[in-house]
Amino acid sequence: MSDKNNKVYIFDTTLRDGEQSPGATMNPQEKLEIARQLALLNVDVIEAGFPVSSKGDFEAVRTIAAEVQGPTICALARAIESDIKIAADALEPASKKRLHTFIATSPIHMEHKLKMSPAEVLKRAGDMVKYARTLVDEVEFSPEDAGRSDKNFLYEVIELAIANGATSINIPDTVGYTTPMEFGQLIKDIKLNVPNIDQAIISVHCHNDLGLATANSLAAVVNGARQVECTINGIGERAGNASLEELVMILKTRHDLGLFTDINSKQIIRTSKLVSNITGMFVQPNKAIVGANAFAHESGIHQDGMLKNNKTYEIMNPEDIGLLATQIPLGPRSGKHALKSRLEQLGFQNIKEDDLKNIYERFIRLADKKKRVDDRDLVSLATNQSLANESAATFELVHVQVTCGSGGLPTASVMLRDQRDKTNILKGAELGTGPVDAICKCIRRLTKAECTLIEFSVKSVTEGIDSLGEVFIRIQDDLQKGVYSGHAAKTDIILASAQAYLNAINRYYERKDTIKLNPQAAEALTP
Amino acid sequence: MSDKNNKVYIFDTTLRDGEQSPGATMNPQEKLEIARQLALLNVDVIEAGFPVSSKGDFEAVRTIAAEVQGPTICALARAIESDIKIAADALEPASKKRLHTFIATSPIHMEHKLKMSPAEVLKRAGDMVKYARTLVDEVEFSPEDAGRSDKNFLYEVIELAIANGATSINIPDTVGYTTPMEFGQLIKDIKLNVPNIDQAIISVHCHNDLGLATANSLAAVVNGARQVECTINGIGERAGNASLEELVMILKTRHDLGLFTDINSKQIIRTSKLVSNITGMFVQPNKAIVGANAFAHESGIHQDGMLKNNKTYEIMNPEDIGLLATQIPLGPRSGKHALKSRLEQLGFQNIKEDDLKNIYERFIRLADKKKRVDDRDLVSLATNQSLANESAATFELVHVQVTCGSGGLPTASVMLRDQRDKTNILKGAELGTGPVDAICKCIRRLTKAECTLIEFSVKSVTEGIDSLGEVFIRIQDDLQKGVYSGHAAKTDIILASAQAYLNAINRYYERKDTIKLNPQAAEALTP
C-alpha cells in the first residue's frame, strides 16, 4: 500500500477551474484562505490561478506562492511565450513550483478556435514546453479536448512534450463527453502507444457535463493515471469538475483497488464548507460525501429508521471526513481560551490575537442571543472574520432601519460613512417591493453604484430560527459586466442583507476595472 | 435504434426513495402533482410509495393510481403477505400496475437485520413473489444489498423469483459501494449464470454514496440491464440515487452506445424545478444537466469568454432539456389569455379556471412591482398555486408587521384567524434575535404548536432584488419528531417567511400523528 507507484497525486484546481464557475470569482485574500486550507488537506499540487488573466489573479498566485508551504504551487499558461513568462514570475517565490501549459489538439478546436494546422500545434506545444522548462523544473502539458482528438496525433504531441521536458501529461475531457469505459481505454492506449510515457506522470482532468467526472477519473487511475485534477465540491465551469472528496473517499473506502492518496481526509468537511462559504456555490444536501444528508439516515428525523449496526448501511465513517462526534456546545460563559482551542480543533490554526478578539466579541453577542453555539456557528464566525480582513472598505454601514408588513409600504432608512472622507455621512430612505429591495435601492442610490443584483440567498447556519442566517449576494456591474459577491452572517437577516449588499458594492468599487480572461477564450491565443 | 431490445425503461422512484431524503416528506397532493409531471416526462414506471408505511402514503399511491394515466404505477412492499396485500389494494385503481417486493440477501443484512438463514430468505422470496402474482400481473423483485451478497446465492434467489413469476429483477447497490467495473460485471454474471434470466427484465437501483450512481447505472445498461431506477435531481436516502436526467441525457448524447429511452427530455427542467420546489431539496449550481450553471459559460457574465461555435464546448442543446430560448417577458398589460398560453407552454396544461384567476391576480400584483415577469416567475406562481390547493388550513395569516434595524429590538406583530372557529382572531407581538425569529416566535405562541425550526432558506427566483423571494422552512415536531415543510414566494421575504412558517404549522396540525415506516427498518420485517 505504501508502494509509491500506487500513490495517486491530488492536483486541486478549485482556485483556477473552480473559480471559472459562473459568479464564483474570488479575490486574492479569499484565494489565500482556501490555499492554506488545501495545504492542511495535504493536496499535492495547488493550481492557484491563470496569472495572465488579470492583475488580481497574478497577485493571488504570487501571494500563495510566497505564503503557502507544503504543496507544489502551479500556474496555468496558454502555449504562448508571454503567458508562460508571466506565470513563472507569479510562481517565483514558491519553494516547489509547476507551470501548466496547454493547447487544443482536437480537429474542432484547432480549426474553429486556434485556426492552426496540426503541424503548427505540434510545433508550438514542443517549443513552449521547452521554454517553460528553462524557467521551472516541473512542467505539465495538457492537450485540450484530448477526448475528441485523433489518437495518433495525440500520441505524437504527448511524446514531443515529454521529449521536451514535460514532467506530467494531463489528459482533459474538456467537454465531459466520454464514458468511463472509453476514458479508461484512452489512458491505457496512451500508456501503450507513447514510447517515452514512463518519463512522465499521467494526469486526468474530467468535466461533469454528463455526471461522469468522478467515474471517468476513477477509470483513469485504474488504468494507469497517477494524478487527478479535481476541485472541492466539484465546482468548475458548467457542471464542474471531478470532486476531490469523492475520488479521495473512493480510494480510501475501496482500498482493495490498491491505490492511495496522501489526503488528510479529516479536513474534507472543513474545506468543503470554506469553499462553499467563499464562492457562494451551495452544496446540495444529496451531494456525495459532503452533502448535509450524505451521512444521515433521515438525520435525527426518523430515529426509528436507524439501525443498530451501522455497517449495514454505512460504508464510510463520518469521523473520517471530519464530521465531529457531538461536542458540548459553547455558551455565553465560555472563555476566550475555550473558544480558541475549539477553533483550533476546527482547523483555524493561526488566528491572530486581534482577530480572535473580534471573533470572541461576536461569539458572546451570538451566545447571548441563542441558547447553544455549535461548531457550525463557530466556523461561520471565524470564516467571516478572516474575510473581513480585506483591504479597507469604501463604505461603512452605520445604521439601518426597516419597517414592513402586510398592510404598509416596505421602507428602509440607511446611514453610511464614506471612508474616503470620513466626515462624509450619507443617509436616505427608500421604499421597495420588500425590505431587502428597499435597503438595496437605498444603498445603491447613496453609493451611486451602477449595478444589478443577480442572486440573493439566505441559509440558516444551524437549526433554530434564532440561529445565524448567512446571506449571499451577487451583483453585476451594469457597464463592465464584472460580477462581485458579498456575504454576511447575522441573526437578523435584514441587517445581514444590508451588510452583504454593501460588501458587494465595496468590492465593486475596489476592482471595478478588472475583467478576467477566460483560458479557453478563442481570440486570445495569438501570441 | 427503434429496436425494442435497446430500450432502457425508466423507473422513477422520486416519490418513494426520493421521499426518504431527510426532510423531503411530501403530502398526497404534492405527490400527485409530481406524478402528473412524471407522466408528461413519459417515464415508464412511477414508484408511487410504500403503502404500508403510513395512511398518507397509502392514500398517495391510491390517488396516483386513480388519476395518473400513461406510466405503470408501482408500489413497494416488503416480502410480507400483509405488506403485499396493502400495496395491491393501493394500486387497485391503476390501469397498469406493478408490485415491487424485496428482501435482503447479503450475509450482513440477513444476519443483523433479518435474523433469518439464507434458506429462510430464499423460501420467503419465492413465496412472496408467487403471492404477489396472484394479485397483479407485473411483479418486480429486489434482492436488497445485492452488491455484497454471495453471487451463487444471489443467482439462486433470482432464478426462484423468476420461476415464481417475477417480471423484473432489480439489482440494488444499496450502500453505494460498488465501482462501475464491478457493477457492470455483476450484471454480466447474472445474465450468464441465471438460467431463466431471459424471462425477466434486469433493473438496477444505484446509490450515490461515492458519487458513482450514474456511472454504475450506465455500466449496468451497457452490460445488459434494461431498466434503471432513478430519481429527479438524484434525491434519495443519504447521497441519493442515480439522477434520471443524467442517465437519460447520457443515452441521448451518446446515441452511439445504441441504447435509448422514451423520455420526453424537453420536460426535464420543469420536472427538476417542481421536485426541488416541493421537496425543498435545492439543486447545486454545478449539478450536471439541471444545475443553474450546467449550460452556462460564465452565463451572461463574461461574454468575452463565449465562443462563436457552440459545438466547441457544448455537447448538449439547452433546448433539449426544456431550457427555452429567450421569450418576450410578460408585463402588467398582458391579459389572462396570454398568461394561460404561456403557462401551457411551460407545461401547466390543465389549470382550472379558479386557479388561473388566482394566478392571474398574483401575476398582476407582481407585474406592478417588477419590470419584467419571466418564465421562472411564472413557474413559481403556478407551482405555489397548485400547492395552495391543499386541504383547508387550520390558521390563516391576516396581518404581519415588523420593525428591525441596527439600533433597535426586532419586533413582530401578527394577527391570525383560527379556521376551526372563524370568530377566533389571535393576535400578539414578540421580540426576536431578528425579524424572522420574532415572527416565528409569535406565530408559535399564538398557534400553541410544539415544534422547532430546523431549516430556513431564501432564494431569489430570478435576478433582481425586486424579484420573488422563495422561502423554504422545515420544522420538527418536538414530541413525535415528524418533519413538516412550508414554502411561500413573495417579493417581501419577511411576509414570505411568515406565510411559509404558518404553512408548515398548518401541516403540523393536519398530520400531527403520522409517522412513516422506513422500508429498510429492521424490526419491522417479522410478518
Side-chain angles (χ1 to χ4, degrees):
Chain A
M1 195 59 169
S2 58
D3 180 349
K4 88 184 219 316
N5 292 330
N6 296 334
K7 172 171 167 174
V8 174
Y9 288 81
I10 297 296
F11 176 112
D12 182 278
T13 183
T14 305
L15 300 178
R16 204 278 300 163
D17 204 328
E19 202 208 13
Q20 284 172 233
S21 306
T25 320
M26 297 172 245
N27 68 22
Q29 183 60 37
E30 291 167 328
K31 287 188 149 191
L32 178 61
E33 184 76 17
I34 290 176
R36 287 206 171 108
Q37 179 58 31
L38 291 172
L40 287 175
L41 185 65
N42 207 28
V43 304
D44 298 288
V45 185
I46 295 173
E47 186 163 57
F50 178 37
V52 79
S53 68
S54 73
K55 244 172 63 183
D57 223 38
F58 180 90
E59 190 195 323
V61 174
R62 197 164 164 102
T63 310
I64 291 167
E67 303 209 7
V68 177
Q69 300 304 318
T72 298
I73 310 302
C74 178
L76 184 68
R78 288 165 303 177
I80 304 176
E81 210 171 289
S82 53
D83 265 40
I84 293 172
K85 181 66 177 68
I86 290 169
D89 288 347
L91 288 174
E92 193 273 324
S95 42
K96 292 187 271 178
K97 45 193 133 184
R98 178 184 298 186
L99 247 159
H100 179 193
T101 189
F102 69 96
I103 194 164
T105 53
S106 66
I108 187 169
H109 273 74
M110 291 192 289
E111 184 185 336
H112 291 284
K113 198 178 84 162
L114 301 179
K115 302 185 194 339
M116 285 169 81
S117 72
E120 288 170 316
V121 167
L122 185 70
K123 178 165 189 324
R124 176 77 69 81
D127 290 351
M128 290 304 110
V129 168
K130 189 179 272 178
Y131 173 61
R133 271 303 296 270
T134 65
L135 304 172
V136 295
D137 291 338
E138 287 184 29
V139 172
E140 175 161 324
F141 172 73
S142 294
E144 198 193 350
D145 206 20
R148 292 191 294 188
S149 301
D150 170 78
K151 279 199 174 181
N152 287 318
F153 180 62
L154 186 64
Y155 304 149
E156 205 179 341
V157 176
I158 294 173
E159 186 180 356
L160 182 67
I162 297 175
N164 281 349
T167 49
S168 44
I169 295 295
N170 178 54
I171 307 300
D173 177 22
T174 306
V175 291
Y177 182 79
T178 54
T179 65
M181 298 76 89
E182 283 168 352
F183 200 63
Q185 188 61 47
L186 175 62
I187 301 303
K188 200 182 254 178
D189 289 344
I190 289 172
K191 276 194 76 114
L192 280 173
N193 292 289
V194 176
N196 56 359
I197 194 70
D198 58 324
Q199 293 163 41
I201 283 184
I202 302 179
S203 167
V204 292
H205 177 108
C206 296
H207 275 278
N208 201 37
D209 298 68
L210 294 172
L212 295 171
T214 298
N216 285 340
S217 305
L218 175 63
V221 298
V222 166
N223 283 288
R226 283 297 176 268
Q227 178 179 282
V228 173
E229 300 198 1
C230 44
T231 61
I232 303 297
N233 302 335
I235 65 173
E237 280 212 276
R238 304 186 312 277
N241 292 78
S243 287
L244 181 145
E245 61 277 10
E246 292 177 5
L247 196 91
V248 166
M249 292 310 289
I250 289 171
L251 297 184
K252 192 177 168 81
T253 306
R254 298 306 309 268
H255 45 82
D256 55 315
L257 294 172
L259 299 169
F260 70 97
T261 72
D262 279 343
I263 293 298
N264 175 3
S265 67
K266 287 189 196 302
Q267 292 288 341
I268 284 178
I269 278 290
R270 175 159 149 58
T271 316
S272 166
K273 290 219 149 81
L274 184 71
V275 169
S276 124
N277 277 345
I278 287 181
T279 60
M281 297 280 288
F282 287 123
V283 172
Q284 67 193 19
N286 53 323
K287 168 79 178 66
I289 317 293
V290 295
N293 293 353
F295 283 89
H297 273 281
E298 312 200 42
S299 55
I301 285 170
H302 272 186
Q303 288 301 339
D304 52 317
M306 200 65 181
L307 294 163
K308 285 133 211 163
N309 187 337
N310 273 346
K311 286 249 163 177
T312 43
Y313 287 101
E314 269 182 15
I315 57 174
M316 286 168 283
N317 205 329
E319 286 82 28
D320 282 351
I321 59 159
L323 280 169
L324 299 176
T326 324
Q327 292 217 25
I328 303 149
L330 298 181
R333 310 187 113 182
S334 304
K336 203 159 71 172
H337 187 75
L339 175 69
K340 188 178 179 219
S341 90
R342 182 65 63 88
L343 286 172
E344 280 169 358
Q345 283 172 39
L346 292 168
F348 295 88
Q349 300 291 338
N350 303 306
I351 302 177
K352 293 190 204 111
E353 189 52 37
D354 272 7
D355 289 346
L356 183 65
K357 205 171 137 251
N358 283 328
I359 297 171
Y360 187 68
E361 275 167 19
R362 291 191 298 133
F363 159 75
I364 288 296
R365 281 206 297 276
L366 180 64
D368 281 342
K369 285 182 185 168
K370 60 178 291 207
K371 292 143 281 180
R372 304 143 40 101
V373 177
D374 84 3
D375 290 344
R376 289 167 294 177
D377 293 314
L378 296 179
V379 168
S380 173
L381 289 178
T383 307
N384 277 284
Q385 179 58 38
S386 64
L387 298 181
N389 294 335
E390 293 181 19
S391 55
T394 311
F395 297 100
E396 184 198 346
L397 189 65
V398 181
H399 189 79
V400 192
Q401 194 174 310
V402 164
T403 51
C404 61
S406 38
L409 297 164
T411 310
S413 358
V414 174
M415 191 193 285
L416 303 176
R417 182 178 293 122
D418 185 338
Q419 304 281 29
R420 297 166 295 190
D421 165 14
K422 298 224 174 181
T423 59
N424 191 9
I425 296 287
L426 310 164
K427 47 194 174 180
E430 279 281 356
L431 300 178
T433 60
V436 178
D437 182 43
I439 286 172
C440 296
K441 269 197 190 127
C442 196
I443 291 177
R444 198 172 51 192
R445 178 163 61 86
L446 297 176
T447 60
K448 302 193 173 69
E450 291 175 64
C451 60
T452 306
L453 185 127
I454 54 173
E455 196 186 324
F456 172 77
S457 60
V458 189
K459 265 190 102 58
S460 55
V461 172
T462 56
E463 297 82 13
I465 194 68
D466 57 348
S467 86
L468 287 176
E470 218 159 288
V471 174
F472 192 87
I473 273 176
R474 259 194 255 276
I475 60 173
Q476 182 165 29
D477 182 335
D478 290 338
L479 305 169
Q480 307 276 2
K481 302 295 173 200
V483 172
Y484 306 100
S485 61
H487 60 276
K490 292 181 189 295
T491 55
D492 181 332
I493 61 168
I494 296 298
L495 280 182
S497 302
Q499 188 64 60
Y501 189 74
L502 194 64
N503 290 348
I505 296 273
N506 278 326
R507 290 189 169 191
Y508 158 94
Y509 273 102
E510 199 184 309
R511 306 185 299 141
K512 211 172 171 335
D513 298 310
T514 45
I515 287 288
K516 287 182 68 170
L517 184 68
N518 183 310
Q520 275 95 29
E523 304 69 19
L525 191 66
T526 346
Chain B
M1 194 61 175
S2 59
D3 180 350
K4 89 183 222 311
N5 292 330
N6 296 334
K7 171 171 168 174
V8 174
Y9 287 81
I10 296 296
F11 177 112
D12 181 278
T13 183
T14 305
L15 300 177
R16 203 277 299 163
D17 204 328
E19 201 207 12
Q20 284 171 233
S21 306
T25 319
M26 295 173 247
N27 67 24
Q29 183 60 36
E30 290 167 328
K31 287 187 151 195
L32 178 61
E33 183 77 16
I34 290 177
R36 287 206 172 109
Q37 178 59 32
L38 291 172
L40 287 176
L41 186 64
N42 207 28
V43 305
D44 297 289
V45 186
I46 294 175
E47 186 163 59
F50 178 39
V52 79
S53 69
S54 73
K55 246 173 59 184
D57 224 38
F58 180 91
E59 190 195 319
V61 175
R62 200 165 162 100
T63 310
I64 291 167
E67 305 210 3
V68 176
Q69 301 304 318
T72 299
I73 310 300
C74 176
L76 185 68
R78 289 164 302 177
I80 303 176
E81 211 170 289
S82 53
D83 266 41
I84 293 171
K85 181 70 176 68
I86 290 169
D89 288 347
L91 287 175
E92 195 272 324
S95 42
K96 292 187 271 178
K97 43 193 134 181
R98 180 185 297 187
L99 247 158
H100 178 193
T101 188
F102 70 97
I103 193 163
T105 53
S106 66
I108 187 169
H109 273 75
M110 291 193 287
E111 184 186 335
H112 291 285
K113 198 178 85 163
L114 300 179
K115 300 183 196 340
M116 285 168 83
S117 71
E120 288 170 317
V121 167
L122 185 68
K123 181 168 186 320
R124 176 76 70 81
D127 290 352
M128 291 303 110
V129 168
K130 189 178 272 176
Y131 173 60
R133 272 303 299 267
T134 65
L135 305 172
V136 295
D137 290 337
E138 285 184 30
V139 173
E140 174 161 324
F141 171 73
S142 293
E144 196 193 352
D145 206 21
R148 292 192 293 188
S149 301
D150 171 78
K151 280 200 170 180
N152 287 318
F153 180 63
L154 187 64
Y155 302 150
E156 205 178 342
V157 176
I158 294 172
E159 187 181 354
L160 183 67
I162 296 174
N164 282 348
T167 48
S168 45
I169 295 293
N170 178 52
I171 306 300
D173 177 21
T174 306
V175 293
Y177 182 78
T178 54
T179 64
M181 298 76 89
E182 283 169 355
F183 200 63
Q185 189 61 48
L186 175 63
I187 301 304
K188 198 181 256 180
D189 289 344
I190 288 172
K191 278 195 78 116
L192 279 174
N193 292 287
V194 176
N196 56 0
I197 195 69
D198 57 323
Q199 293 163 42
I201 282 185
I202 302 179
S203 167
V204 291
H205 176 108
C206 296
H207 276 279
N208 201 36
D209 298 69
L210 294 174
L212 296 171
T214 297
N216 285 340
S217 306
L218 174 64
V221 297
V222 166
N223 284 285
R226 283 296 176 267
Q227 178 180 281
V228 173
E229 300 198 3
C230 44
T231 60
I232 303 299
N233 302 336
I235 66 171
E237 280 213 274
R238 305 187 310 278
N241 292 78
S243 288
L244 181 144
E245 62 277 10
E246 292 177 6
L247 197 88
V248 166
M249 292 310 288
I250 288 171
L251 297 185
K252 192 177 169 79
T253 307
R254 298 306 309 267
H255 46 81
D256 54 316
L257 294 169
L259 300 168
F260 69 97
T261 72
D262 279 343
I263 294 297
N264 174 2
S265 67
K266 287 189 195 301
Q267 291 288 341
I268 284 178
I269 277 288
R270 175 159 148 62
T271 317
S272 167
K273 290 220 150 79
L274 183 72
V275 168
S276 130
N277 277 345
I278 287 182
T279 61
M281 299 280 288
F282 287 124
V283 173
Q284 65 194 20
N286 52 324
K287 168 79 177 66
I289 317 293
V290 294
N293 293 352
F295 283 88
H297 274 281
E298 314 199 40
S299 51
I301 286 171
H302 273 185
Q303 290 299 339
D304 50 317
M306 203 65 183
L307 293 164
K308 286 132 210 163
N309 187 336
N310 273 344
K311 286 248 163 175
T312 42
Y313 287 102
E314 272 183 12
I315 57 173
M316 287 170 283
N317 206 329
E319 287 81 30
D320 282 351
I321 61 161
L323 281 169
L324 299 176
T326 324
Q327 293 218 22
I328 303 148
L330 299 181
R333 308 186 115 177
S334 304
K336 203 159 71 171
H337 187 74
L339 175 69
K340 189 176 180 221
S341 89
R342 181 67 63 90
L343 285 171
E344 280 170 356
Q345 283 172 38
L346 291 168
F348 295 88
Q349 301 291 340
N350 303 307
I351 302 177
K352 293 189 203 111
E353 190 52 38
D354 273 6
D355 289 347
L356 182 64
K357 204 171 138 256
N358 284 327
I359 297 171
Y360 186 68
E361 276 168 17
R362 292 192 296 132
F363 160 74
I364 288 296
R365 281 206 297 276
L366 180 64
D368 280 342
K369 285 182 185 168
K370 61 178 295 206
K371 293 143 281 179
R372 300 143 45 99
V373 176
D374 83 5
D375 290 343
R376 289 167 295 177
D377 292 315
L378 295 178
V379 168
S380 174
L381 289 176
T383 306
N384 276 286
Q385 179 59 36
S386 64
L387 297 179
N389 294 337
E390 293 181 19
S391 54
T394 311
F395 297 100
E396 184 200 344
L397 189 64
V398 181
H399 189 78
V400 192
Q401 193 173 312
V402 165
T403 51
C404 62
S406 40
L409 296 164
T411 309
S413 356
V414 174
M415 191 193 285
L416 303 176
R417 181 177 293 122
D418 186 338
Q419 304 279 32
R420 296 166 297 190
D421 166 12
K422 299 223 172 179
T423 60
N424 192 8
I425 296 287
L426 309 164
K427 48 192 168 179
E430 279 281 356
L431 299 180
T433 60
V436 179
D437 182 43
I439 285 172
C440 296
K441 269 196 190 129
C442 194
I443 291 177
R444 196 171 54 192
R445 177 162 64 84
L446 297 176
T447 60
K448 301 194 173 69
E450 293 175 63
C451 61
T452 306
L453 184 128
I454 55 174
E455 196 185 323
F456 172 77
S457 59
V458 189
K459 264 186 103 58
S460 54
V461 172
T462 54
E463 297 82 12
I465 195 66
D466 57 347
S467 86
L468 286 175
E470 219 160 285
V471 174
F472 193 87
I473 272 176
R474 260 194 255 276
I475 60 173
Q476 182 166 30
D477 182 335
D478 290 339
L479 304 168
Q480 308 275 3
K481 302 296 172 199
V483 171
Y484 306 101
S485 61
H487 62 274
K490 291 181 191 296
T491 54
D492 181 332
I493 61 169
I494 297 297
L495 280 181
S497 302
Q499 189 62 60
Y501 189 75
L502 194 65
N503 289 349
I505 296 272
N506 278 327
R507 290 188 170 191
Y508 158 95
Y509 273 103
E510 198 185 307
R511 307 186 297 141
K512 210 175 172 339
D513 298 310
T514 43
I515 287 288
K516 288 183 67 170
L517 184 69
N518 181 309
Q520 275 93 29
E523 303 71 16
L525 191 66
T526 349

